[in-house]
Amino acid sequence: MLYYSLNKQSPTVDFKQATIAGQAPDKGLYFPATLPQLDKEFIEHIEQYSKEAIAFKVIKPYVGDSIPDEVLQGIVNETVNFDIPLVPITESISSLELFHGPTLAFKDIGARFMSRCLGHFLKGNHKKVTVLVATSGDTGGAVANGFYGVDGVEVVVLYPSGKVSAVQEAQITTLGKNIHALEVDGSFDDCQQMVKQAFTDTELTSQLFLTSANSINVARWLPQQFYYFFAYQQWKDKGHPPIISVPSGNFGNICAGILAHVSGLPVQHFIAACNANKVVPDYLLTQQYEPKPAVATISNAMDVGNPSNFVRVLEIFHQEFGSLKNVLSSYSITDAETKQAIKDVYQQHQYLLDPHGAVGYIALQRELAKHPGSKGMVLETAHPVKFNPAIMDILGENILAEKEAALLLDDHKQSIPMSNDYNSLKGILKEL
Ligand SMILES: *Cc1c(COP(=O)(O)O)cnc(C)c1O
C-alpha cells in the first residue's frame, strides 16, 4: 500500500515510512492510495472469525509488505488483547465499551498498535528515538503505556499541571523506566506549542531522532477500524445495520469507522457527536468549514476547534458534500444536556456513561427519533472513573470511589516539574 500526502506536494511512501514520519514533509496527512474491499463472504460469516483474525484481515492490506505476516499477527494479537463488549442500555441503544484496555480509553488500541509497529521498525537502529507528545489527558496515558519498556525508545509526555484527572495523571507519572512525565506550569495549548516548536528546531532534531505519536499517524488511525468489525460481530439484527454514534474531537475515530464502512462493513448511518466545539455540525448545515478556537467543556477530550482528521473524511468521499451527507450526520450537545443524560441514564437504566459517551448517547437519541424502528450503538470511549469528580458532581454520590482508590493505590508519582518555557524542554530532551 502506498500513502500520498493530502497536500499533494510530497512523494508517496509505504506504511513503514508513513509510520516513522507521522506527517508528510509538506505537512499534509498521509492517506492510502487505494481503499481495500473486504469480501462479502467474510462479512456474512464474521461470527466464525476470532478478534485476532478479523484485525489481521482488516489491517493487512494497509501494512502491505512493511511487516512480515507472523510479526504483524503478533502485533495485532497484543493490540486487541482485552474485551470490547457491546452492552445493551435500552431497547434501541447499545454501548460499545472501548474502555477495557490498560488506560481505560479507546486510544489504547491505536497506541498499542502504533508503538509495536514503531518498535519493530526501529529494531537494530542504533540511534535512540524520542517520542514527544502533549496531552490534555487520555493520549498521554495510552501512548506511555503502549511504549512502556519498548527498547530504544524514550517517551516524553507534557501535561498541564493540575488540569488532568487523578487517574489520568497516575497513568502518565507512575510508569517510570523509559517514560518521562513533564508537568508543565501552563495549559494544554502551551504544552502543544512547545512540542510543535521542538519538531521545527533543527538544532535539536539534528541531535535527536524525534517522532510524534499523535492521532494523525496512520499507525494510530487505521487500527481503530478493528472495533467497528468487533461491534458488528456482536450486532444481533444483521438485517438492519446499526446507526453508530461516535463522540468526536479530532475525528480520527469516526474517520476509521467510515473507512471500515467504505471497505464493506454494513452501517446504516454515522453520527459525529460533538460538544460545544461544533465546526463539523455547522459545516454539515452550511457547507462552510470554519475552524474556531477550542472552548472548554466537561467532555474535554473532544475540545478541538479544528479537527485534524476531518480532511481525511472529506477525502474518503472525494470532497463530494452530497455523498458525505448521506453517510454522516452531526450534532452539538451542551454540557447541561450531557450532565442530564448521565443522570437520567444512570437512574433509568443503571448504566453509567462518561461525559464523552453521554454526548454520543444524546446525539444517537436525536437521530433515532428521526428514524423510528432503527437501532444504534454509541461508542463509549472512556471509563467514567477517568472523569470521576465531574460525574460525582452530577450524581451527588461517589459511586466510583472504590474503583478510583484501587487505581490510585500504587501511585508513586514521578514527574519533572517544568515552567512554560521552550528552553527548559530543550534542556531536558538533550539530557535524556
Ligand atoms: C480522544 C477522545 C475522543 C475523541 O476522539 P477523536 O478520534 O479525536 O475524535 C473522545 N472521547 C475520549 C474519551 C477521548 O479520549
Side-chain angles (χ1 to χ4, degrees), residues 105-107 138-139 215 224 247-254 301-302 354 356 381-382 387:
F106 82 96
K107 290 187 173 76
D138 281 348
T139 302
S215 72
Q224 299 179 110
S248 294
N250 233 344
F251 278 68
N253 192 358
I254 195 164
M302 313 197 301
D354 94 289
H356 306 78
T381 46
F387 313 98

Side-chain angles (χ1 to χ4, degrees), residues 74-86:
I75 291 176
V76 155
N77 294 357
E78 287 177 25
T79 301
V80 300
N81 174 22
F82 47 85
D83 285 342
I84 302 189
L86 184 66

